[in-house]
Amino acid sequence: QLFSMNYTPAYFAAPADTQLFSMTGAGGISQLTGNRALAVGGWQWIGGTLLIWGTQAIGGGATVTFTSVSASTIPFPNACFIVLATINGTANTTFAVEITSKSATDFVWKAMGAIPAGVTGFSWLAIGN
Protein backbone atom coordinates (compact mmCIF):
# COMPACT_ATOMS: atom_id res chain seq x y z
CA GLN A 1 0.00 0.00 0.00
CA LEU A 2 1.30 3.47 -0.90
CA PHE A 3 0.32 6.67 0.85
CA SER A 4 1.50 10.23 1.22
CA MET A 5 1.47 12.52 4.22
CA ASN A 6 2.76 15.92 5.28
CA TYR A 7 5.85 14.93 7.26
CA THR A 8 8.39 16.91 9.28
CA PRO A 9 11.78 15.15 9.69
CA ALA A 10 13.26 15.14 13.22
CA TYR A 11 16.06 17.67 12.90
CA PHE A 12 16.48 21.36 13.78
CA ALA A 13 14.40 23.75 11.63
CA ALA A 14 13.16 20.92 9.40
CA PRO A 15 10.53 22.04 6.90
CA ALA A 16 7.33 20.02 6.60
CA ASP A 17 6.81 18.53 3.15
CA THR A 18 4.59 15.93 1.49
CA GLN A 19 6.42 12.57 1.39
CA LEU A 20 5.60 9.17 -0.09
CA PHE A 21 5.57 6.06 2.15
CA SER A 22 4.82 2.38 1.61
CA MET A 23 3.28 -0.14 3.99
CA THR A 24 3.96 -3.87 3.81
CA GLY A 25 1.33 -6.53 4.43
CA ALA A 26 2.83 -7.02 7.89
CA GLY A 27 2.41 -3.31 8.71
CA GLY A 28 6.04 -2.20 8.20
CA ILE A 29 6.35 1.40 6.97
CA SER A 30 9.16 2.63 4.73
CA GLN A 31 9.79 6.23 3.64
CA LEU A 32 10.27 6.39 -0.13
CA THR A 33 10.87 10.09 -0.79
CA GLY A 34 12.27 13.17 0.93
CA ASN A 35 15.46 15.18 0.77
CA ARG A 36 17.46 18.06 2.16
CA ALA A 37 20.61 19.31 0.49
CA LEU A 38 22.93 22.12 1.55
CA ALA A 39 26.46 23.04 0.48
CA VAL A 40 28.02 21.08 3.38
CA GLY A 41 25.92 17.92 3.24
CA GLY A 42 22.49 16.46 2.88
CA TRP A 43 20.31 13.41 2.49
CA GLN A 44 17.93 11.83 -0.03
CA TRP A 45 15.44 8.97 0.27
CA ILE A 46 15.26 6.93 -2.94
CA GLY A 47 12.74 4.09 -2.86
CA GLY A 48 13.41 3.06 0.75
CA THR A 49 17.19 3.61 0.54
CA LEU A 50 18.68 6.61 2.34
CA LEU A 51 21.76 8.42 1.01
CA ILE A 52 23.58 10.82 3.36
CA TRP A 53 26.62 12.84 2.22
CA GLY A 54 29.04 15.44 3.46
CA THR A 55 32.64 16.60 3.70
CA GLN A 56 35.20 16.27 6.47
CA ALA A 57 38.40 18.20 7.13
CA ILE A 58 41.46 16.01 7.65
CA GLY A 59 42.35 17.97 10.79
CA GLY A 60 38.92 17.29 12.30
CA GLY A 61 38.00 14.52 14.68
CA ALA A 62 38.00 10.89 13.65
CA THR A 63 34.25 10.38 14.16
CA VAL A 64 31.61 11.86 11.87
CA THR A 65 28.13 11.92 13.40
CA PHE A 66 25.47 12.03 10.67
CA THR A 67 23.30 14.56 12.55
CA SER A 68 26.22 16.95 13.07
CA VAL A 69 27.23 17.23 9.39
CA SER A 70 24.85 20.16 9.06
CA ALA A 71 21.59 21.23 10.61
CA SER A 72 19.91 19.36 7.76
CA THR A 73 21.17 15.79 8.16
CA ILE A 74 19.47 12.83 9.79
CA PRO A 75 20.67 9.45 11.12
CA PHE A 76 19.71 6.16 9.48
CA PRO A 77 16.49 4.80 11.02
CA ASN A 78 17.75 1.19 10.73
CA ALA A 79 21.32 0.65 9.48
CA CYS A 80 24.21 2.15 7.53
CA PHE A 81 25.31 -0.36 4.87
CA ILE A 82 28.45 1.34 3.53
CA VAL A 83 30.44 4.59 3.72
CA LEU A 84 32.52 5.65 0.72
CA ALA A 85 35.20 8.37 0.87
CA THR A 86 37.19 10.30 -1.73
CA ILE A 87 40.08 12.72 -1.14
CA ASN A 88 39.53 16.46 -1.71
CA GLY A 89 42.55 18.33 -3.05
CA THR A 90 45.71 16.98 -4.61
CA ALA A 91 45.50 13.22 -5.11
CA ASN A 92 48.40 11.19 -3.78
CA THR A 93 48.96 7.43 -4.00
CA THR A 94 50.60 7.34 -0.54
CA PHE A 95 47.58 8.78 1.29
CA ALA A 96 44.10 7.37 1.83
CA VAL A 97 41.16 7.63 4.22
CA GLU A 98 40.02 4.36 5.78
CA ILE A 99 36.53 3.93 7.24
CA THR A 100 37.19 1.79 10.32
CA SER A 101 33.63 1.39 11.67
CA LYS A 102 30.07 2.55 10.99
CA SER A 103 26.69 2.58 12.72
CA ALA A 104 23.25 4.06 12.08
CA THR A 105 24.37 7.35 13.69
CA ASP A 106 28.05 7.82 12.75
CA PHE A 107 31.25 6.48 11.21
CA VAL A 108 34.88 6.46 12.31
CA TRP A 109 37.77 7.14 9.92
CA LYS A 110 41.54 7.35 10.04
CA ALA A 111 44.20 8.83 7.78
CA MET A 112 46.45 6.25 6.14
CA GLY A 113 49.92 7.58 5.32
CA ALA A 114 51.46 11.04 5.44
CA ILE A 115 48.95 13.81 4.73
CA PRO A 116 50.14 15.75 1.64
CA ALA A 117 50.02 19.56 1.74
CA GLY A 118 47.44 19.64 -1.10
CA VAL A 119 44.85 17.47 0.67
CA THR A 120 42.12 19.54 2.30
CA GLY A 121 39.82 16.76 3.49
CA PHE A 122 37.48 14.20 2.03
CA SER A 123 33.96 13.88 0.72
CA TRP A 124 31.85 10.93 1.83
CA LEU A 125 28.64 9.14 0.91
CA ALA A 126 26.82 6.79 3.29
CA ILE A 127 24.12 4.39 2.08
CA GLY A 128 21.58 2.63 4.30
CA ASN A 129 17.93 2.49 5.28
Side-chain angles (χ1 to χ4, degrees):
Q1 178 181 19
L2 292 175
F3 63 95
S4 65
M5 64 182 280
N6 196 20
Y7 175 72
T8 303
Y11 62 83
F12 177 73
D17 199 2
T18 301
Q19 305 299 333
L20 183 63
F21 295 82
S22 68
M23 182 184 294
T24 68
I29 296 177
S30 178
Q31 185 173 353
L32 300 175
T33 63
N35 69 39
R36 181 82 166 149
L38 298 174
V40 295
W43 56 273
Q44 171 74 53
W45 279 102
I46 302 173
T49 300
L50 178 59
L51 307 177
I52 304 175
W53 64 89
T55 60
Q56 175 67 31
I58 292 296
T63 299
V64 174
T65 303
F66 296 127
T67 55
S68 68
V69 174
S70 70
S72 72
T73 44
I74 60 175
F76 290 98
N78 298 302
C80 176
F81 303 142
I82 190 170
V83 178
L84 307 167
T86 186
I87 304 296
N88 295 337
T90 306
N92 186 311
T93 58
T94 63
F95 177 73
V97 170
E98 178 184 356
I99 306 303
T100 59
S101 67
K102 61 184 174 38
S103 72
T105 58
D106 61 26
F107 69 89
V108 178
W109 63 274
K110 68 178 180 179
M112 304 293 291
I115 302 170
V119 172
T120 58
F122 64 95
S123 296
W124 56 267
L125 170 68
I127 303 170
N129 69 354

